[in-house]
Amino acid sequence: MAGRMPRSVAVTALLCGLVTAASLIGAAVLKARSQRVAMPASTSVSTPSTTPSVGLSGCLREPCQVLASTTVAGTFVELIADAGATSGRVRIGGPSASQVIETTVTDLGVTLTATSLQCVPGSASACLIRGEGPDGTTGQVVVGRSDKWSAQERPYLSSAGLLVLNNVVSDSSPEVIAAQYDCPPNQDSCTKRPVYAQVFTLSGEEIGCTRTYTRIEQLPGYPQVTFPAAQLRDCP
């Protein structure tokens, strides 16, 4: 009968279709298995660690207090300490438009006090944050240029307990002056030894030292030590 497919041909076509479908299903199963092997057994989204933001008060842990404040080159600067005064921040510009810089000397065991802040104006103005630590008077410097302030990395140490900013070498910016005992490393007590003043740039480079004096009170200009740059010599 015309137009009618022989039974053998129909069976063959049906078998070919079944084989093709089975091949497609097998390929899909293999693809899914390969994807499962390549994917980690478990995935988790890591959340970046965050620290509490410092508000306009400059405080992370209440109660906080303003230990000291001053104005340098027309900019208002405050030293704010957290509870216990074992951590703190320097707030620059006042609460309405402030920049907050965290202290680093407190990480070295310094406890902040009302006398911990000293600022000196210049083309590069500077503020010194200092206090007593395990090894003596320790301080850090925050430098401001064109209303942009940044903390310097180097800490400063005075074994004789006097650390100040003053103009010695340059009138455009202050230097860091640290009083040191002229004391051998292996000596138990240095409190009765002569002292000298060691001078650094704001970036931490040693400029030189004065001669030794019998007592710290004899340093020129004590306690705001100052002297002509011509008096500097190589440090011991």
Side-chain angles (χ1 to χ4, degrees):
M1 185 175 182
R4 186 172 180 178
M5 183 182 297
R7 180 176 297 179
S8 61
V9 175
V11 170
T12 301
L14 179 61
L15 290 175
C16 289
L18 291 175
V19 170
T20 301
S23 299
L24 291 175
I25 293 171
V29 170
L30 289 175
K31 182 179 180 181
R33 286 179 178 174
S34 65
Q35 288 177 341
R36 268 201 311 273
V37 171
M39 186 179 296
S42 62
T43 58
S44 60
V45 179
S46 60
T47 303
S49 60
T50 58
T51 55
S53 60
V54 177
L56 292 179
S57 67
C59 185
L60 276 177
R61 187 174 66 252
E62 298 285 355
C64 291
Q65 59 178 325
V66 176
L67 291 179
S69 62
T70 188
T71 300
V72 54
T75 300
F76 189 58
V77 179
E78 294 172 293
L79 176 61
I80 300 172
D82 293 349
T86 55
S87 63
R89 278 139 201 91
V90 179
R91 184 171 67 182
I92 300 166
S96 59
S98 63
Q99 180 181 358
V100 177
I101 297 176
E102 189 163 359
T103 61
T104 55
V105 288
T106 49
D107 297 334
L108 302 175
V110 168
T111 300
L112 302 173
T113 68
T115 60
S116 290
L117 178 67
Q118 184 205 0
C119 297
V120 175
S123 57
S125 298
C127 290
L128 175 67
I129 300 95
R130 63 202 169 183
E132 291 303 314
D135 300 318
T137 302
T138 307
Q140 72 177 96
V141 171
V142 178
V143 177
R145 295 181 177 88
S146 302
D147 297 328
K148 294 182 180 179
W149 291 76
S150 60
Q152 304 301 296
E153 293 183 0
R154 174 172 181 164
Y156 297 90
L157 175 66
S158 166
S159 62
L162 180 68
L163 194 62
V164 296
L165 291 174
N166 218 332
N167 295 98
V168 173
V169 177
S170 171
D171 292 333
S172 61
S173 61
E175 288 83 32
V176 181
I177 304 171
Q180 311 290 4
Y181 284 118
D182 185 17
C183 189
N186 57 351
Q187 186 162 329
D188 293 336
S189 177
C190 297
T191 56
K192 294 183 180 181
R193 296 285 303 181
V195 297
Y196 60 90
Q198 185 179 22
V199 183
F200 301 90
T201 66
L202 293 179
S203 60
E205 298 175 3
E206 183 184 77
I207 300 174
C209 293
T210 66
R211 68 174 180 87
T212 58
Y213 295 84
T214 305
R215 301 188 313 275
I216 191 171
E217 293 82 5
Q218 293 177 336
L219 290 173
Y222 176 89
Q224 288 300 122
V225 178
T226 184
F227 42 83
Q231 293 186 10
L232 292 175
R233 59 186 72 182
D234 290 341
C235 294

